Amino acid sequence: MFDLQGYGWMLWDGLQMTLLVGLCSLVLAILMGLIGAWGKLSENRVARAAAATYTTVIRGIPELLLLLIIFYGTPTLIQGIAEDLGYDIIVDFNPFIAGVLTIGFIYGAFATEVFRGAFIAVPPGQMEAARAIGMSSVLAFRRVMLPQIWRFALPGLGNIWMVLIKATALISVIQLEELMRKSFIAMGATKLPFTFFFTAALMYLAITVISMLGQQRIERWANRGIRRA
Amino acid sequence: MRKLSLAVAAVAAIGVLATSALAADMQKVRIGTEGAYPPFNYIDSDGKLVGFDIDIAKALCVAAKFDCEFVVQDWDGIIPGLIAKKYDAIIASMSITEERKEKVDFTGKYYSTPAKFVGAKSMKVDIPEGTDAGNKALAGKAIGVQRATIHENFLRDNFPDADIKVYATQDEANLDLANGRLDLVMADSMALKEGLLNTEDGKDFEFKGPDYNEPKWHGLGAGIAIRKGEDALRESLDKAIATIRADGTYQKINDKYFDFDVYGK
Amino acid sequence: MDFQIIVDSFPKLLEGMALTIEITGLALIMGFALAVPLALLRLSPNPLVWPPVYAFVLFFRGTPLLVQIFLVYYGAGQFRPLLQEYGLWAYFREAYFCAVLTLTLNTAAYTTEIFRGAIQAVPHGEVEAARACGMSGWLLNRRIVLPKALRLALPAYSNEVVFLFQSTSLVSIITLMDLTGVARVIVARSFDVYEIYITAGLMYLAVTYGILGIFRQVEFRLSGHTRERPDGDATADPLKPFG
């Protein structure tokens, strides 16, 4: 049953692409999450409203539909606006960039909640104390907040990574040649759908299991010196 | 790298010598194609884009002195992709229809073949000429068709009583036909012949019913789609089609894939 | 924006939404029915009982739903002679059956994990008290553990319902005409990407927050005994997304 008929290398290529697109999306999601969390906790009403709209909309619409909107809709929209302003520009989304933008954008909304929780979890007295002993707000943020935010955010980010890497399978719908797409091509040629999709499933499962183990180690590392309740 | 190897392949396939010095001042044209529609355009097991459309596209690029690059795009997004400037022309067996003309411009046709049904040899079904009688004969039958094709539109408008199921690629529809989930599939007769009937998986299947070639749905044959208003590009491509028809290049590519004249009347 | 196309296609989109809700509902009911016993089995100390449940949960939570759908829908074709022998092919032949089956197993796995956590979170004292009163086995589960666990699981479960509802959009890939499927068919012909997809998106959004609103109501009702005063806390916004 596991005779991959010479298409094994193709799946291997696909797996690497899946990991690459997943990691790039995670970086974007973390950036979006930090910005989103800043917006949610901001004094500025516009920033708060923007952040709230972002998480509300993203979490209310299926990923597949968002992917279709971003991939097919955004370039036309940007070009339309540019044309109205008198510019002729080409917005070329290759599937990789569109995939990273979509997945990063979607999971940025989830990361927003994670970081918001982490910001709140740091007792405000600590920042006040840091400011009181003369640290600038940037220095206080870097020395006092950041190290603790990471610790509080790590479990949540780990979960986001594991959901996100599975969501990358959707990018196959816009022809990025990642694991899912490669399985599909192999299936088309060999007519052995179960064999290839099951192999792909096991590869995703391996990523999940390795990520779970990695998450435990990182959390242990991040929590070193913290007494357990 | 990919572009380079395609250029090399183009030269090899068509047997025309191109010097690398030419590349510098040639107009760059990106060509969108589907890559899942054998024998017209598909990806072989080496991961290379091949097929009739691809060879024609390469020949046209040589004739028009374009520096061409291929972009693979799934069918249901192929026109939005053109409008979004992901590429400049679609060479993917796209039929020239009135509906599509509202969104894009077309060159003249570069081939034309009728649409047909395919079903299992063991299945007894009599599909009479004419769509009204055909609709009655096929009421309740599960018919697979590729999303966003002229065949989908034709079926929806003329066979409303059939159970129409749409797929992202023709391959998936063929797979479900082989699996017995579908009674029939409808597509271009050549695509079905080469992509299904002439393959190992197609041995239990055959054409059913008449040829369909209604200009309202099936259009005026397959042409090259470009964005509206880009007349210079359209004229160059039309001229290139005439050139390869005249100099025998078209015939050579035709004979590589088919044993009859695919250009049609 | 072309509003006419939205008006014209709205009835079709509504039909799609009906199928989306139907599939979600079926998968939820059956997934829930599977998840309760599975969660209890998952917590069994018997080494022949919990590992298979653990493997089931790990597989369905650790792989993309898209792979699972393809595995069931196209994968079944590879075993067609076998399935025909047992008379099962008649079911697997239908995309609808494959979709509901996959979504049921998927949500059952996630829900099992949610219930497992909730059962473990039931205060040990309550279980001890029940045992002291002479309850054990099924009676203990039925009267004490499960009611408490289900209440504890409600917030996480409401998120799972929303995820499942949105995940049903994937069934459009295996030919079903759910909301996303209908939207894709309309876009394929009219090319009005924004008008249609954004309308469909807003429909998903409305139902998502409708579901969440219902769950907030249920949570509110069920937590009556933990609230201080009936008109007490005004800060709890029942529609506030995801806490």
Side-chain angles (χ1 to χ4, degrees):
Chain A
M1 193 179 100
F2 281 101
D3 175 11
L4 298 179
Q5 312 212 352
Y7 281 89
W9 62 268
M10 214 165 167
L11 295 195
W12 177 246
D13 280 357
L15 179 66
Q16 291 172 349
M17 179 56 89
T18 288
L19 286 170
L20 184 66
V21 80
L23 285 171
C24 292
S25 306
L26 183 68
V27 171
L28 180 63
I30 288 175
L31 279 176
M32 294 294 299
L34 283 169
I35 297 169
W38 170 80
K40 283 218 157 178
L41 298 169
S42 164
E43 308 272 298
N44 185 328
R45 285 180 64 176
V46 179
R48 272 208 312 275
T53 311
Y54 171 49
T55 52
T56 307
V57 168
I58 294 288
R59 305 185 81 165
I61 300 179
E63 293 157 351
L64 176 60
L65 201 56
L66 284 170
L67 189 70
L68 294 173
I69 293 173
I70 293 180
F71 187 63
Y72 294 129
T74 320
T76 328
L77 183 69
I78 296 173
Q79 278 159 14
I81 294 170
E83 249 164 62
D84 290 344
L85 297 173
Y87 298 98
D88 184 22
I89 54 165
I90 295 178
V91 181
D92 191 17
F93 273 4
N94 69 33
F96 184 86
I97 293 174
V100 168
L101 282 181
T102 313
I103 301 289
F105 198 65
I106 293 171
Y107 286 90
F110 293 81
T112 296
E113 299 297 345
V114 168
F115 282 120
R116 193 183 68 101
F119 273 113
I120 293 172
V122 180
Q126 294 194 5
M127 272 301 270
E128 283 164 23
R131 295 302 303 276
I133 59 168
M135 286 191 198
S136 74
S137 60
V138 174
L139 187 68
F141 182 81
R142 192 161 60 82
R143 289 228 182 122
V144 178
M145 289 292 275
L146 258 189
Q148 305 196 70
I149 290 170
W150 281 119
R151 190 166 63 80
F152 288 122
L154 262 178
L157 289 181
N159 292 339
I160 287 178
W161 159 252
M162 280 183 266
V163 183
L164 177 152
I165 197 73
K166 289 184 286 164
T168 59
L170 281 183
I171 308 178
S172 63
V173 174
I174 54 167
Q175 303 95 49
L176 181 70
E177 303 234 321
E178 43 66 80
L179 182 49
M180 201 59 213
R181 184 85 180 173
K182 293 282 193 191
S183 315
F184 219 96
I185 294 171
M187 173 202 83
T190 61
K191 312 289 175 206
L192 293 173
F194 190 86
T195 308
F196 283 98
F197 290 135
F198 194 66
T199 309
L202 292 182
M203 285 177 163
Y204 282 110
L205 198 58
I207 298 177
T208 302
V209 171
I210 292 168
S211 304
M212 277 163 61
L213 298 174
Q215 189 185 19
Q216 283 171 7
R217 291 193 70 155
I218 294 176
E219 275 176 35
R220 218 178 298 144
W221 172 78
N223 289 330
R224 69 201 185 288
I226 304 286
R227 196 175 51 186
R228 283 181 189 267
Chain B
M1 243 348 264
R2 183 178 157 80
K3 203 168 58 185
L4 184 69
S5 62
L6 279 177
V8 171
V11 171
I14 300 150
V16 178
L17 279 173
T19 58
S20 55
L22 268 175
D25 46 65
M26 286 199 296
Q27 186 188 347
K28 208 171 154 178
V29 175
R30 288 165 306 161
I31 295 173
T33 194
E34 186 197 3
Y37 196 62
F40 293 101
N41 60 75
Y42 60 102
I43 294 166
D44 68 8
S45 62
D46 295 332
K48 276 212 290 290
L49 203 53
V50 290
F52 178 79
D53 286 336
I54 307 303
D55 286 351
I56 289 287
K58 287 171 183 167
L60 291 176
C61 289
V62 170
K65 300 203 168 52
F66 289 152
D67 173 20
C68 288
E69 183 184 344
F70 285 93
V71 178
V72 175
Q73 163 69 49
D74 264 3
W75 188 254
D76 61 354
I78 205 158
I79 285 184
L82 177 71
I83 294 167
K85 302 189 181 174
K86 288 181 202 298
Y87 32 79
D88 309 305
I90 300 171
I91 304 186
S93 297
M94 180 172 279
S95 302
I96 305 161
T97 65
E98 287 306 318
E99 254 176 7
R100 288 183 179 138
K101 274 187 184 165
E102 287 175 16
K103 301 284 171 181
V104 296
D105 283 348
F106 281 99
T107 62
K109 73 163 181 176
Y110 64 92
Y111 81 87
S112 135
T113 47
K116 280 187 93 93
F117 286 112
V118 159
K121 283 178 181 164
S122 57
M123 184 181 67
K124 287 277 169 288
V125 62
D126 187 34
I127 309 171
E129 292 271 352
T131 49
D132 283 341
N135 181 39
K136 280 199 192 82
L138 296 182
K141 294 264 189 245
I143 306 177
V145 69
Q146 189 181 7
R147 192 196 311 279
T149 58
I150 52 169
H151 311 294
E152 184 192 350
N153 296 345
F154 177 69
L155 284 175
R156 287 196 190 283
D157 293 346
N158 296 292
F159 295 84
D161 295 334
D163 179 11
I164 299 162
K165 294 183 189 289
V166 290
Y167 293 83
T169 64
Q170 189 64 39
D171 273 352
E172 284 162 79
N174 292 349
L175 193 68
D176 262 2
L177 179 71
N179 278 337
R181 285 198 178 108
L182 297 172
D183 299 308
L184 296 164
V185 293
M186 171 170 258
D188 179 85
S189 51
M190 265 318 102
L192 286 173
K193 187 170 176 223
E194 301 297 325
L196 179 66
L197 297 181
N198 285 358
T199 68
E200 177 61 25
D201 305 291
K203 61 183 190 303
D204 299 328
F205 299 93
E206 63 186 6
F207 282 125
K208 305 273 189 191
D211 287 0
Y212 295 97
N213 210 344
E214 307 275 340
K216 184 176 173 208
W217 289 276
H218 297 108
L220 308 163
I224 302 170
I226 51 177
R227 278 182 296 280
K228 274 203 169 296
E230 302 202 348
D231 295 336
L233 180 60
R234 198 191 66 226
E235 281 157 20
S236 313
L237 286 168
D238 268 328
K239 236 170 72 193
I241 294 174
T243 307
I244 64 167
R245 288 283 298 162
D247 71 7
T249 314
Y250 186 98
Q251 195 58 45
K252 238 182 262 170
I253 299 171
N254 185 103
D255 295 347
K256 181 174 157 193
Y257 292 93
F258 311 107
D259 51 12
F260 62 95
D261 181 15
V262 75
Y263 189 79
K265 290 187 282 289
Chain C
M1 277 279 171
D2 176 2
F3 286 101
Q4 195 54 42
I5 180 97
I6 298 177
V7 175
D8 290 346
S9 29
F10 200 68
K12 281 191 219 154
L13 291 173
L14 274 183
E15 272 175 44
M17 177 56 99
L19 182 65
T20 293
I21 291 175
E22 180 186 321
I23 291 177
T24 309
L26 273 176
L28 270 182
I29 293 167
M30 295 193 287
F32 183 92
L34 277 174
V36 174
L38 282 176
L40 291 171
L41 294 175
R42 170 69 183 81
L43 289 167
S44 154
N46 186 335
L48 288 176
V49 172
W50 70 262
V53 180
Y54 181 79
F56 165 77
V57 170
L58 184 68
F59 183 83
F60 278 93
R61 291 179 80 231
T63 59
L65 177 60
L66 187 64
V67 178
Q68 296 162 18
I69 289 180
F70 281 161
L71 203 52
V72 171
Y73 186 72
Y74 289 114
Q78 200 170 328
F79 302 104
R80 185 176 161 202
L82 191 74
L83 290 168
Q84 271 171 331
E85 204 175 308
Y86 291 99
L88 291 172
W89 179 251
Y91 298 104
F92 281 93
R93 191 174 180 265
E94 299 300 327
Y96 183 84
F97 173 83
C98 293
V100 173
L101 175 69
T102 316
L103 288 169
T104 298
L105 294 176
N106 184 275
T107 186
Y110 280 93
T111 311
T112 299
E113 190 62 14
I114 291 170
F115 288 169
R116 178 192 66 84
I119 291 172
Q120 284 178 321
V122 172
H124 198 60
E126 294 186 18
V127 179
E128 271 177 5
R131 283 194 197 279
C133 293
M135 286 190 213
S136 64
W138 179 230
L139 189 68
L140 174 71
N141 276 332
R142 187 163 57 85
R143 288 223 184 130
I144 306 296
V145 177
L146 286 180
K148 177 80 181 182
L150 291 183
R151 203 177 300 158
L152 288 173
L154 207 56
Y157 187 66
S158 65
N159 279 342
E160 167 57 19
V161 172
V162 167
F163 279 127
L164 180 73
F165 169 68
Q166 299 191 352
S167 303
T168 54
S169 64
L170 294 187
V171 305
S172 64
I173 294 171
I174 53 167
T175 76
L176 290 177
M177 283 298 148
D178 72 321
L179 180 52
T180 304
V182 170
R184 294 183 81 178
V185 165
I186 299 171
V187 169
R189 197 154 186 180
S190 70
F191 309 111
D192 293 309
V193 179
Y194 296 110
E195 287 87 343
I196 300 302
Y197 284 157
I198 289 176
T199 306
L202 291 175
M203 291 168 78
Y204 276 110
L205 199 68
V207 175
T208 298
Y209 286 93
I211 293 172
L212 285 173
I214 292 170
F215 270 100
R216 301 289 142 152
Q217 284 295 320
V218 173
E219 261 175 66
F220 187 74
R221 291 267 170 90
L222 288 181
S223 62
H225 60 292
T226 60
R227 279 196 303 271
E228 297 206 341
R229 253 180 250 106
D231 56 345
D233 189 6
T235 57
D237 176 4
L239 280 175
K240 193 166 169 241
F242 303 94

